[in-house]
Amino acid sequence: MVSWRDAVQPADGGVRLLLEASPGAGHARFPDGYNPWRKRLGIRVKEPARDGRANEAVLAMIADFFGVKSTQVVLEAGALDSRKTVLVLGVSVADARMRLVPALGA
């Protein structure tokens, strides 16, 4: 069974998130559901996908959601793609999943 938990993976020193970003959205939101075909968590940002602005917004929103410094959130892959891989340092898989459960369900 495919679950949103597949998009939250262990990584050295933290957790890796598989995201599907929607730039230029009317409102910002994370998490914004789960795409079971791409196995990615949705994230919507208001900023357009120009000059790295949407990527910066994604990283800032993830840092805020997990309560970590912006320097602890790293874009590993997907700088020019809606499918992004983000590393969040200092957050365990269990903690990340616990924070996501209220929005995404068990």
Side-chain angles (χ1 to χ4, degrees):
M1 178 177 176
V2 177
S3 163
W4 63 264
R5 294 171 187 271
D6 297 334
V8 181
Q9 304 174 346
D12 287 340
V15 64
R16 181 171 288 112
L17 303 176
L18 305 180
L19 304 175
E20 184 169 12
S22 298
H27 64 280
R29 180 176 174 170
F30 177 76
D32 185 43
Y34 175 70
N35 183 329
W37 293 277
R38 290 191 174 183
K39 298 181 182 168
R40 293 181 179 270
L41 299 171
I43 184 168
R44 297 169 95 47
V45 295
K46 292 181 180 181
E47 290 73 7
R50 282 193 299 260
D51 303 321
R53 291 167 46 194
N55 287 335
E56 290 174 14
V58 165
L59 298 179
M61 186 178 291
I62 296 297
D64 185 57
F65 183 84
F66 288 105
V68 298
K69 297 177 185 176
S70 60
T71 57
Q72 291 176 260
V73 182
V74 179
L75 181 63
E76 287 189 319
L80 301 176
D81 193 335
S82 64
R83 293 170 293 179
K84 302 186 181 303
T85 303
V86 173
L87 175 64
V88 184
L89 298 169
V91 175
S92 70
V93 170
D95 288 343
R97 289 178 176 165
M98 187 174 73
R99 286 184 181 256
L100 289 162
V101 163
L104 297 170

